[in-house]
Amino acid sequence: MELSAANSSWSKYWSNMSTAQPSPAQHAVRAHAVARFRENQIRLPTFAELEQPHTIPPAIQEALREIHPDDPHPLNLFRVHWYNSADGKSTVDVPGHLCLPESLTGVKAPIYVALGERFPMVGSHKVLAAYSCLAPALVGGHFDPTRQRAVWPSTGNYCRGGVAVSRIMGCRGVAVLPEDMSRERFKWLQDLSLIHI
């Protein structure tokens, strides 16, 4: 398929996901997700809350103080944003970053590097990318956590983020890594009892 045709197909797919009236099947799939989330006491953060963490309800912010950032706890979904403090337990007004000086870069303009290591569970911003894929599919009735598996192909952190988010959301996540990936990636998944090697 030609690239422009493929892009057009994806644009049409995402446009239909957000504007089309849900079908009866999508209502049923969404009902399964709602039941699973209710059963597991999972409340999904909105993208607006992740963009502006100070808007997260105070009761959730208070509860987060008792939860370690790397625990597979549903409330850690509210930490899937750039505004985590260095210890990951509170928020900051400006995302963690480094400013690289001209003496290092040779560029007169300052170059800022955002620190993705402050994200929960995997120490990578890829957990936000994974959440951004799975949450709309669940809310829109396009993914049934009781019957389907979320497949996360990647060379590393994206699949780790996907598997972590899937686990928290009560979904079955499958990490697909190249066989020659670092043992560290496989060990992380195995340590969470997410795979058998």
Side-chain angles (χ1 to χ4, degrees):
M1 178 183 284
E2 190 177 309
L3 185 58
S4 61
N7 287 341
S8 175
S9 295
W10 275 111
S11 295
K12 190 179 296 182
Y13 172 77
W14 286 110
S15 176
N16 288 340
M17 266 187 77
S18 62
T19 60
Q21 289 295 323
S23 69
Q26 288 170 304
H27 281 295
V29 168
R30 188 170 189 274
H32 291 164
V34 169
R36 168 68 56 89
F37 283 28
R38 187 173 286 133
E39 174 187 327
N40 293 330
Q41 299 180 350
I42 299 170
R43 186 242 198 232
L44 297 180
T46 66
F47 290 123
E49 288 170 330
L50 297 178
E51 181 183 11
Q52 299 178 19
H54 67 275
T55 64
I56 295 171
I60 292 175
Q61 292 182 35
E62 185 66 32
L64 280 169
R65 292 188 183 135
E66 304 300 319
I67 299 166
H68 191 278
D70 292 333
D71 286 347
H73 191 286
L75 287 181
N76 268 332
L77 293 172
F78 288 88
R79 287 184 167 132
V80 180
H81 58 71
W82 287 98
Y83 295 89
N84 292 305
S85 62
D87 68 2
K89 295 181 180 180
S90 60
T91 59
V92 293
D93 292 334
V94 176
H97 64 279
L98 299 173
C99 180
L100 305 179
E102 180 182 350
S103 61
L104 177 66
T105 66
V107 176
K108 288 187 179 186
I111 296 175
Y112 290 90
V113 178
L115 301 177
E117 67 186 10
R118 295 183 177 186
F119 280 80
M121 299 166 287
V122 299
S124 167
H125 66 288
K126 297 298 185 169
V127 73
L128 176 58
Y131 180 81
S132 298
C133 290
L134 189 54
L138 286 159
V139 171
H142 300 278
F143 181 84
D144 186 340
T146 67
R147 298 179 55 196
Q148 296 174 306
R149 294 179 190 269
V151 179
W152 305 100
S154 165
T155 56
N157 288 334
Y158 178 68
C159 78
R160 291 173 66 213
V163 168
V165 166
S166 296
R167 182 175 184 198
I168 287 176
M169 292 182 168
C171 303
R172 291 173 294 179
V174 178
V176 179
L177 288 166
E179 187 176 356
D180 60 349
M181 271 321 296
S182 72
R183 298 307 307 161
E184 177 263 339
R185 301 263 195 269
F186 289 105
K187 182 169 178 10
W188 180 88
L189 293 165
Q190 188 175 28
D191 288 348
L192 285 179
S193 300
L194 297 174
I195 65 166
H196 299 286
I197 296 176

